[in-house]
Amino acid sequence: MTHRERFIKTLLCEPIGGQVPTFEVVFFLTMEAFGKVHDSQRHYAQWKQMSQVERNLHMDEMAQLYVDIAKRYDHSAIFVQPNPSDLESTQWLLETIREKSGDEYYIMMHGDPTWSIPDGDHMMEFSEQMYEEPEKLQEVSKRRLDECLEIAAKLHQMGHLVDGFTMCADYCFNTNPFFSPEKFDELIVPYLRDVIAGYREMGYYTIKHTDGNIIPIAKQIADCKPDAIHSLDPQGGVTIPEVRRIVGPDIALVGNVSCALLQTGTDEECREDVMRSLREGMANGRGYVFSTSNCAYTGLPLERYEMMIDIWRKYGNYEDYEKNFGTK
């Protein structure tokens, strides 16, 4: 199987045997690993002023970097963050990645119309509006929903340039969700459910991302029928067995390796946490994608990420589960 085929079968919770797939929502450590700035951290204010030759060189380098990350770390999927982000440039980048990698990798983009936790400057205003003018927030959500589905339809018409969408609105603090279950049902669920259904109708797969303690709203997220849930944040007290109990066996789970330990723990603590994530994630026999509980973010020690990948390469094989971890 290609990496793409293995990833899709995992999203469908079909048994794959062999190595558990892995990827990262973002791998920001490109300067240390490859000597290149990640494309999302570049500033292309003069993009249209560049000659076509210069734009070609930039686009080729960005596409190659995505492929190089996937190859070096055996990622099964590539999360693309187009820069520039207009549709024409997005099409160009996606097509260039496909030209370089064929159908080897599952390719995804962001596409979430729902509300995230507001920043500190707008939290009070947003909180008041949730209760006093929810209809205004719903109007914005409906417009965003239409925009997401319009972009997806255009990418589909261009040749189905991505395999799926990862929805990256964050709903939760480490202690609890920002939205009460009632407000989540009112302001989030209708638009999350409809965007997932719309994507699926066009043949796309979906991963829902949110950090923090998702346990109080995990069933509501699952009822919107994403193919997978990411990031299963241990800093929010989230465990794979608990989420699996809530959402059932037929939604894939992604993540759960503690970024906090990768950042500040000892090597032994990191090793134990990676092994725990593999043991718990693989226990279902299907439907698990190995990754960090957030991403390979700026400042994360590269050697810790590479240690994590080395452990996954050695122990992340379904066929060796009992030998490595005992009975399920």
Side-chain angles (χ1 to χ4, degrees):
M1 284 189 287
T2 64
H3 280 295
R4 177 178 177 271
E5 290 167 338
R6 181 171 294 276
F7 198 85
I8 289 173
K9 287 174 74 69
T10 298
L11 293 183
L12 296 174
C13 289
E14 297 177 0
I16 59 171
Q19 198 75 13
V20 172
T22 188
F23 91 111
E24 292 297 330
V25 169
V26 193
F27 181 85
F28 277 123
L29 310 179
T30 53
M31 180 55 72
E32 192 172 354
F34 300 96
K36 297 178 181 180
V37 176
H38 191 275
D39 78 301
S40 67
Q41 297 179 324
R42 304 180 189 194
H43 184 54
Y44 285 124
Q46 295 181 319
W47 181 260
K48 292 185 178 179
Q49 187 176 328
M50 294 179 190
S51 68
Q52 188 61 48
V53 171
E54 187 174 0
R55 284 198 297 269
N56 290 346
L57 291 169
H58 278 293
M59 189 62 72
D60 187 80
E61 185 198 32
M62 287 189 288
Q64 188 63 54
L65 187 55
Y66 278 111
V67 176
D68 288 345
I69 294 167
K71 285 182 176 179
R72 179 172 297 186
Y73 299 112
D74 289 325
H75 289 180
S76 289
I78 298 173
F79 190 114
V80 180
Q81 298 175 298
N83 180 22
S85 60
D86 62 278
L87 189 60
E88 181 181 0
S89 298
T90 297
Q91 178 184 2
W92 186 7
L93 178 59
L94 292 170
E95 288 176 343
T96 306
I97 291 171
R98 283 290 190 204
E99 288 169 6
K100 290 177 176 293
S101 63
D103 288 328
E104 181 61 35
Y105 302 106
Y106 175 100
I107 295 179
M108 69 189 91
M109 283 175 46
H110 170 68
D112 195 333
T114 63
W115 292 100
S116 295
I117 300 172
D119 62 34
D121 291 336
H122 301 93
M123 189 168 290
M124 289 298 297
E125 177 186 351
F126 185 91
S127 298
E128 291 173 1
Q129 199 168 24
M130 278 200 300
Y131 291 92
E132 296 178 0
E133 299 176 311
E135 67 282 353
K136 291 188 177 180
L137 298 178
Q138 291 169 325
E139 288 174 7
V140 175
S141 294
K142 180 61 169 66
R143 185 172 68 249
R144 289 176 176 175
L145 171 64
D146 292 341
E147 290 170 353
C148 284
L149 294 178
E150 181 181 0
I151 291 171
K154 288 179 178 177
L155 292 174
H156 182 66
Q157 293 165 1
M158 293 171 181
H160 207 75
L161 296 181
V162 295
D163 297 297
F165 292 91
T166 297
M167 296 157 288
C168 293
D170 277 328
Y171 305 139
C172 305
F173 301 111
N174 285 343
T175 51
N176 276 302
F178 171 77
F179 302 92
S180 69
E182 295 76 19
K183 281 297 173 185
F184 195 79
D185 262 340
E186 179 184 4
L187 297 175
I188 304 298
V189 165
Y191 309 99
L192 182 60
R193 180 193 61 222
D194 288 355
V195 78
I196 289 171
Y199 287 152
R200 181 168 289 121
E201 187 175 344
M202 287 182 264
Y204 296 112
Y205 302 95
T206 55
I207 300 172
K208 175 57 205 167
H209 160 88
T210 177
D211 298 321
N213 178 15
I214 68 169
I215 297 301
I217 58 171
K219 182 64 165 59
Q220 291 164 284
I221 293 174
D223 287 344
C224 294
K225 301 185 185 305
D227 293 299
I229 297 173
H230 176 279
S231 62
L232 315 179
D233 190 352
Q235 290 180 257
V238 178
T239 69
I240 291 174
E242 178 68 0
V243 176
R244 180 59 71 201
R245 182 189 67 79
I246 293 170
V247 309
D250 297 324
I251 292 179
L253 301 181
V254 188
N256 201 232
V257 177
S258 173
C259 285
L261 287 179
L262 291 176
Q263 180 80 48
T264 62
T266 65
D267 284 351
E268 184 56 31
E269 287 172 330
C270 291
R271 184 183 187 282
E272 289 177 0
D273 191 65
V274 171
M275 293 293 283
R276 175 201 55 76
S277 297
L278 288 170
R279 181 181 69 251
E280 294 176 354
M282 296 167 65
N284 194 45
R286 58 193 175 95
Y288 177 60
V289 178
F290 176 77
S291 80
T292 65
S293 60
N294 185 285
C295 68
Y297 54 80
T298 302
L300 185 74
L302 178 63
E303 62 271 17
R304 283 292 176 77
Y305 183 78
E306 293 185 340
M307 180 182 79
M308 182 189 91
I309 291 295
D310 287 342
I311 295 170
W312 161 77
R313 284 175 172 145
K314 185 174 182 179
Y315 295 101
N317 193 305
Y318 281 112
E319 294 168 7
D320 297 330
Y321 186 91
E322 291 192 10
K323 180 183 73 174
N324 293 329
F325 303 108
T327 57
K328 298 177 183 178

